[in-house]
Amino acid sequence: MPMDLTAEEVNSAITTNHQVMDNGELRYRLMAKNGYGYILTVAGDKGGWQNSHVHRAVRETYIVQSGWMAMATFRDKIMDLRVYRPGGMVTTEVGVAHNVYLPAGAVIHTVKHGDAAKPRARTAVEELDEEVKGLTEKDM
């Protein structure tokens, strides 16, 4: 029979960090101390881009729960834009810049995973932001 963990046991391994982002998204985070974890993202009242970034050791797997999600990736100065519908999923590649757009009300799950022995630095990629932040839902 399963045993419940104590609050102390949970807090020694897991952190929570829930926020309203600048683009109106609600982010509910359940993260392990080593940087891996899970994020539930609920889009705000209007669509919006997140911020472009690249990870040096961590991958992110995105799963669309409802609505849709666009993901832009940027490799060798070439942007690739794809749209994912409910049930769709995509995993980022280490070292490849990416950004996500969610329309109003969309819900996605994000799982962060990778090599815990390496630094998990997240670096902003302004060049990709310049490419995508002017795109509209019609463009996608």
Side-chain angles (χ1 to χ4, degrees):
M1 169 157 297
M3 288 181 28
D4 290 343
L5 295 170
T6 67
E8 293 80 22
E9 290 171 318
V10 172
N11 292 333
S12 71
I14 301 292
T15 62
T16 59
N17 181 13
H18 312 308
Q19 296 175 305
V20 178
M21 306 306 288
D22 290 341
N23 64 4
E25 291 177 355
L26 302 176
R27 296 230 189 125
Y28 304 95
R29 294 179 181 92
L30 183 65
M31 306 299 290
K33 300 283 182 173
N34 62 8
Y36 305 148
Y38 167 78
I39 305 167
L40 170 65
T41 303
V42 179
D45 294 337
K46 60 181 183 175
W49 284 99
Q50 296 180 355
N51 292 314
S52 299
H53 61 281
V54 62
H55 298 280
R56 300 294 173 212
V58 171
R59 294 174 181 252
E60 294 173 312
T61 297
Y62 294 87
I63 305 162
V64 180
Q65 179 69 41
S66 61
W68 56 273
M69 174 189 88
M71 177 178 279
T73 57
F74 198 58
R75 183 193 326 242
D76 299 324
K77 301 199 182 278
I78 298 172
M79 183 184 69
D80 182 42
L81 182 66
R82 296 179 189 221
V83 173
Y84 299 88
R85 305 280 177 202
M89 51 191 286
V90 59
T91 300
T92 62
E93 296 179 43
V94 171
V96 175
H98 55 280
N99 197 343
V100 167
Y101 179 92
L102 296 178
V107 177
I108 63 171
H109 306 276
T110 307
V111 179
K112 290 182 173 282
H113 50 99
D115 186 349
K118 295 183 180 176
R120 292 175 296 280
R122 172 187 159 129
T123 306
V125 181
E126 292 178 14
E127 195 172 3
L128 180 54
D129 277 340
E130 291 170 8
E131 292 276 336
V132 299
K133 292 229 173 165
L135 295 175
T136 67
E137 290 185 10
K138 286 186 181 185
D139 296 328
M140 293 176 239

